[in-house]
Amino acid sequence: MKYFSTRGADQLLSFEETVLAGLAPDGGLYIPEHVPSLPENWKMAWKDHSFVDLSVEVLSLYISPEEITRAELRALVEKSYSTFRHPDVTPLKKLDEKTYVLELFHGPTFAFKDVALQLLGNLFEFFLKRRNARKAPGEKPEKLTVVGATSGDTGSAAIYGLRNKANISIFILHPKGRVSPIQEAQMTTVTDANVHNLAVQGTFDDCQDIVKSLFADREFNATHRLGAVNSINWARILAQTVYYFLSYFHLRRSVPNPDEVEIQYVVPTGNFGDILAGYYAKRMGLPMGRLGVATNANDILARFWKSGAYEKVDSGADAGAVGASAPVVGGSDGKQAADASGVRETLSPAMDILVSSNFERLLWYLAFEGAAQGEDATARRRAASATIADWMGKVKSDGRVQVPVSVLELARRDFFAERVSDGQTLETIKYYFNSDAHYVADPHTAVGLRAARVVSAQNPPQVRQIVLSTAHPAKFSEAVTRALQSAPSFDFERDVLPPEFKGLLERERRVIDVEAPQVDLVKKVVERFAEPAGEVGASI
C-alpha cells in the first residue's frame, strides 16, 4: 500500500514515509492509493476479536508486511493499548433500547485522542529506532521534532504518547485561555525535557494555521525534521477506524436479531477526523447507515450539508449577527459570541474550530467519484487532486468554496449533519443524568446525543444509534456542573472526578507564552528549545 497527497497524485509514499511526513509538501493530506475491501469471511473470523486483535487485522490491510511484520505490528498495538483502563479499550454502553455510547475516553488522558496517539507515539519511536540502528558507528542519529495544535485533547494525548521518547521533541500549541482548566493542566504539568507547551494568544485555527505553515516551509521542515500529531497524520485516522469495528460486533451481541439491525453512528466533530475514520470503515465494507455529523455553534460542517458551501463565515447570516456580542441562536447566553476570527466560544471547546482540516480528505473522494467515469483511475485521481487544490485554494484566498450540486448529493448519501447550541447541550447532559441510565455525558458527547435524538424520530424501527463519547466528563467540570446544579442527587467529586485528576490543578507547570499568532514567533521557540540547551518557561 502506498499513499499520495490529496492535492498532487503523482508522488507515492510508503506507510513509514507517510507517518513521518504528516502533511504533504503541497499542503495536502495523505490518503491511501486505494481503500482495501474486508476479507470475505471477516464477520465470522473477527466476531470474537479483542480491540488488539481487530487493530492488527485492520491495520495490516493498510501496512505492508515488508514495512512492519505482523509480529512487530502486534507488539506495537499491544504496547499502545496496555495503557488503557478498560479491558475492551473502547467499551460500548447502552443508554436505552435504541441508543448506545461508545466510550473512547479510557486511555491515559481520558479522551478519544489516546486511541490514535498512543499508537502514533510508538510508531514514531519504532521507525526512528530502526533507522538509527542501521547507521554506522558514530553517525549522527535521526531525530524528529513533532509539532501540533490542540483545541484541548490532542495536546495532552500527544504529550503522553511521546513524553521521554528518545530522539523526539514535541511542541504543542494551544489557544491561551480557550481550553478547559483540566485540559491545560494535563498538558502543562508534564515536565519531561522533550515536552514543550506553547500558549498562543489566538484561536485554535490560528494554532493550526501556524503548524501548517511550519510544514509548508521546506527549509525549516528539513532542518528540524518535523512530524505531525494532529489528525492530518494518516496514522491517526487509521487507528480510529478500529473502534467502529469493535462497536459493530459488540452491538450485534447485545440484540436478539442482529442481522435485522441497522447501525447509525453519530459523531461530535470539529476537525472531522473521528467521523472520517467511520467513513473509511464504511468504504471498507463495515455495514452502517449514514454517518451523523454533530457540530456545536461552530457549524461550518452543518452548513456545508445544508447548502454545499464550505465557508468560514456564514454568508446566509445577518451581517449584524457576526459581531463580538452576538449570541448564537438557541444558545444559553452570550458566551457563544464570535470573536474577530469568527470562532464562537462554546461549552464544547474541542469543537470550537473554524475550518475542519480532515474534511479535505472526504472532499477528495467526492471529487474522485464525480470525475469523468470514462477516464482511467490514474487520470481520475489526478483530476480529483487538481480539483481539491483549486477548492482549498479558494477557501484560503476567499474564505469559501461552493461545490457542485452533484458533489453535495454524494456527501448527503453517506452523511447527515445537525447543529447543537450550548443551551441544548446543557439540556442533554441533564436529560441523560435524569434518565434510567443515570449517565453523565461530557459536553461534546452531549452534542452527539442531542443530534442523535433529533434524527431518531425519523429513523426506521430497526435503527440503533451509537454516539461516540469523546471525553470523560471530568475534563469539562464547568459545563457538567452547570447542567446538573439543580440535580439534588449529583455530586461532582463522587459521581465524576477520577482519582487521577485530584490535585492536578495545583501541580508545577511548564509553559511558554507566545504573545501573538505569528509563525516567526513559534519558529523562535522551536529553534531555541529543540536542542537540549535553553532555559525553561519564558515569553516570546
Side-chain angles (χ1 to χ4, degrees), residues 309-373:
Y310 187 60
E311 53 186 4
K312 296 180 180 181
V313 178
D314 185 1
S315 60
D318 293 338
V322 188
S325 62
V328 172
V329 175
S332 53
D333 55 31
K335 186 175 183 180
Q336 294 188 86
D339 64 15
S341 72
V343 177
R344 296 179 183 272
E345 188 177 353
T346 75
L347 294 172
S348 45
M351 295 156 60
D352 290 352
I353 295 172
L354 204 60
V355 175
S356 302
S357 289
N358 274 290
F359 192 56
E360 179 171 336
R361 284 183 166 117
L362 174 65
L363 287 176
W364 188 92
Y365 288 103
L366 300 179
F368 178 81
E369 193 169 347
Q373 296 294 318

Side-chain angles (χ1 to χ4, degrees), residues 368-383:
F368 178 81
E369 193 169 347
Q373 296 294 318
E375 298 179 346
D376 62 35
T378 301
R380 289 177 65 198
R381 194 165 75 189
R382 287 175 177 161

Side-chain angles (χ1 to χ4, degrees), residues 140-362:
K140 189 176 180 180
E142 288 192 32
K143 297 186 177 183
L144 192 66
T145 302
V146 174
V147 292
T150 185
S151 56
D153 288 331
T154 291
S156 57
I159 287 167
Y160 276 67
L162 290 171
R163 62 189 301 182
N164 206 30
K165 288 195 182 295
N167 296 316
I168 300 175
S169 297
I170 179 168
F171 295 81
I172 293 294
L173 286 64
H174 72 267
K176 187 172 183 177
R178 288 175 175 262
V179 298
S180 79
I182 287 289
Q183 288 176 315
E184 182 180 355
Q186 282 187 306
M187 292 186 287
T188 59
T189 58
V190 177
T191 57
D192 297 67
N194 71 322
V195 173
H196 309 279
N197 282 285
L198 284 66
V200 178
Q201 196 69 48
T203 67
F204 168 75
D205 289 271
D206 292 329
C207 296
Q208 190 161 245
D209 286 344
I210 290 171
V211 169
K212 289 181 178 180
S213 295
L214 294 177
F215 276 92
D217 187 327
R218 298 196 178 196
E219 182 180 352
F220 187 84
N221 193 336
T223 299
H224 295 283
R225 186 59 188 277
L226 301 185
V229 289
N230 283 91
S231 52
I232 57 176
N233 194 307
W234 163 250
R236 279 192 54 179
I237 306 301
L238 179 57
Q240 290 170 192
T241 61
V242 176
Y243 46 69
Y244 285 89
F245 287 89
L246 185 76
S247 60
Y248 169 82
F249 287 117
H250 284 194
L251 187 141
R252 284 177 62 87
R253 293 179 206 163
S254 71
V255 295
N257 299 299
D259 291 332
E260 298 176 6
V261 168
E262 177 183 307
I263 300 177
Q264 180 183 80
Y265 288 96
V266 181
V267 187
T269 191
N271 226 14
F272 207 71
D274 209 7
I275 195 166
L276 184 70
Y279 176 72
Y280 274 104
K282 184 176 184 178
R283 286 183 67 96
M284 291 169 68
L286 185 67
M288 66 178 77
R290 290 194 302 161
L291 289 147
V293 180
T295 78
N296 63 15
N298 297 288
D299 60 349
I300 183 173
L301 294 171
R303 287 186 278 111
F304 171 83
W305 263 275
K306 182 179 179 180
S307 67
Y310 187 60
E311 53 186 4
K312 296 180 180 181
V313 178
D314 185 1
S315 60
D318 293 338
V322 188
S325 62
V328 172
V329 175
S332 53
D333 55 31
K335 186 175 183 180
Q336 294 188 86
D339 64 15
S341 72
V343 177
R344 296 179 183 272
E345 188 177 353
T346 75
L347 294 172
S348 45
M351 295 156 60
D352 290 352
I353 295 172
L354 204 60
V355 175
S356 302
S357 289
N358 274 290
F359 192 56
E360 179 171 336
R361 284 183 166 117
L362 174 65

Side-chain angles (χ1 to χ4, degrees), residues 525-540:
V525 175
V526 175
E527 290 165 348
R528 182 178 180 183
F529 292 103
E531 295 300 321
E535 61 185 287
V536 168
S539 293
I540 297 294

Side-chain angles (χ1 to χ4, degrees), residues 74-126:
R74 175 166 284 278
L76 282 165
V77 169
E78 288 177 346
K79 180 180 179 181
S80 299
Y81 301 117
S82 65
T83 59
F84 280 64
R85 296 179 301 279
H86 197 285
D88 290 337
V89 180
T90 58
L92 188 68
K93 186 177 182 67
K94 186 176 182 178
L95 297 187
D96 57 46
E97 287 305 310
K98 294 191 176 183
T99 311
Y100 297 74
V101 287
L102 179 59
E103 293 186 338
L104 307 177
F105 54 73
H106 292 278
T109 69
F110 295 77
F112 83 97
K113 311 291 179 77
D114 288 322
V115 176
L117 285 165
Q118 285 292 301
L119 177 63
L120 181 57
N122 288 323
L123 284 170
F124 281 153
E125 183 180 49
F126 174 83

